[in-house]
Amino acid sequence: MQTNTDYNFLNQALVLANKCLGLCSPNPAVGCVLVNPDQKIVSQGYHLAAGQNHAEVNALNNLTNANKNLTLYVTLEPCTHFGKTPPCVNAIIESKVITRVVYGYKDPNPLVNNKAKKILQDNGIDCDYMPIPEIEKFYSAYSYWLKNKKPFVTAKIAISLNGMIATEDSTSVKLTSNLIDEFTHQNRAVSDAILTTINTILADDPQLNARLGENTLKKKLYILDSKLRLPLDAQVFTTTQSITIFYSFDDENKELKLRKQGCKLIKVDRLQSAINLTSVLTHIGEDGIHSLWVEAGGKCFASFVNAKLLQKAFIYIAPKWINHGKIAFANGFDKASLPGKKTYRQYGEDILCEINF
């Protein structure tokens, strides 16, 4: 029988899963708590990275006292197959201390889906699936990636009240407040990778990492750079975890220099005089990236929208006016005509428009 207590403990497991969101691809982030018959958490664990122990195994390994008759709460259905690590159902059974398992999301991976319950019950362990909206939302990118073999794509862009992103000569302008900048860094942190364009690199020389308080997190970076113009002294060479460049025009000299700098180069075809974004997302999906954060200019943003390749977008609207500026949406639409469900909320002095396509 499922109770409010089950719901509360699954949410405790979800808090742990959030600690590793954006760090585990191609595996999903997972959190787990072990609870004794007195309804107290006696151990917990989460999945740190692909190839390392899963959340259930870490929770079992973290047990410090003799315990029995424990309930294991985990955000995702325990795995039943051998990958880089053995099946978690085996660890649960072999522990001899778990009498019940409650999980919050059925793993859509066909190697696992709906198999754990029977295996555990056949070994005398009760098993309940308890779906809750918070966990379903948490795994939306993972499910999208498994179904479509492409990442769940979120793009952001900041604009002035009159729809500008820069001055007429493309000089970058600080539009938004520090509060919404923190929102950007939070989203970078929980995304598996970031995508930008060479124009953004050349204009701003950004770091494109996640900076939260005193902590800095390097992320995998993808760059759309058809002619391989990435400067060898760009900050991203030291501030990111890895760099993959999508290009279209051969230049052996540039290719050699960028590869020596550690870049991975992928040549892709062109579509309507631009890099084929569908091909780009296919390659990124093959890398095991579940969630992709796109941070570039108006042209890139519009290209993703027009190609219907976004699942979510954030438009930051700053209370500023730029005379003779560079229009954000120059490809035949404006923010009012964007498809998708829009919600607005105030973020400090800025307005955040969230669009779900």
Side-chain angles (χ1 to χ4, degrees), residues 5 34 54 64 90 120 157 165 168 178 205-206 221 225 229 248 268 282 292 310 339 354:
T5 300
L34 303 183
H54 290 189
T64 56
N90 290 9
L120 292 170
I157 192 166
I165 59 173
E168 196 169 29
N178 291 335
D205 192 22
L221 178 65
D225 183 9
R229 294 185 292 152
S248 300
V268 292
T282 296
L292 182 69
L310 288 184
E354 178 179 340

Side-chain angles (χ1 to χ4, degrees), residues 204-216:
D204 301 333
D205 192 22
Q207 296 183 51
L208 291 175
N209 50 19
R211 300 184 297 279
L212 296 170
E214 297 180 355
N215 298 318
T216 298

Side-chain angles (χ1 to χ4, degrees), residues 9 59 74 118 142 234 259 299-300 313 321-322 335 337 350:
F9 283 126
V74 63
K118 184 177 188 307
Y142 172 56
R259 287 195 172 98
K299 184 177 179 180
C300 180
W321 195 273
I322 300 176
K335 65 182 184 299
S337 64
D350 305 306

Side-chain angles (χ1 to χ4, degrees), residues 270-289:
R270 295 178 69 78
L271 182 65
Q272 297 177 348
S273 301
I275 285 179
N276 188 330
L277 293 178
T278 300
S279 296
V280 166
L281 294 182
T282 296
H283 284 290
I284 294 175
E286 289 171 353
D287 284 346
I289 301 299

Side-chain angles (χ1 to χ4, degrees), residues 41-194:
I41 295 176
V42 294
S43 186
Q44 60 187 30
Y46 53 89
H47 184 42
L48 292 170
Q52 298 191 29
N53 287 337
H54 290 189
E56 299 94 320
V57 173
N58 282 330
L60 288 166
N61 289 343
N62 289 336
L63 274 172
T64 56
N65 300 314
N67 291 275
K68 59 182 180 179
N69 299 325
L70 302 180
T71 299
L72 182 149
Y73 292 91
V74 63
T75 53
L76 185 68
E77 180 180 3
C79 66
T80 57
H81 68 293
F82 282 88
K84 292 184 178 179
T85 59
C88 286
V89 288
N90 290 9
I92 293 168
I93 294 165
E94 292 165 5
S95 72
K96 307 295 185 183
V97 299
I98 306 298
T99 56
R100 181 176 178 235
V101 170
V102 182
Y103 62 93
Y105 194 74
K106 288 183 180 180
D107 195 332
N109 185 339
L111 295 173
V112 180
N113 185 255
N114 220 23
K115 296 177 182 177
K117 187 170 186 176
K118 184 177 188 307
I119 293 172
L120 292 170
Q121 288 179 335
D122 286 349
N123 284 272
I125 299 172
D126 291 335
C127 185
D128 292 308
Y129 163 53
M130 184 176 178
I132 60 175
E134 296 90 340
I135 292 180
E136 182 175 353
K137 180 179 179 181
F138 180 82
Y139 286 115
S140 57
Y142 172 56
S143 294
Y144 184 90
W145 173 74
L146 276 173
K147 180 180 179 180
N148 298 283
K149 309 305 179 186
K150 295 181 180 68
F152 184 102
V153 184
T154 302
K156 80 92 176 174
I157 192 166
I159 65 173
S160 68
L161 282 175
N162 58 332
M164 305 294 176
I165 59 173
T167 61
E168 196 169 29
D169 62 359
S170 296
T171 301
S172 180
V173 177
K174 171 66 171 146
L175 288 171
T176 52
S177 65
N178 291 335
L179 185 62
I180 209 164
D181 289 347
E182 184 178 346
F183 175 82
T184 295
H185 284 276
Q186 290 168 346
N187 277 279
R188 289 180 184 178
V190 299
S191 299
D192 293 329
I194 298 170

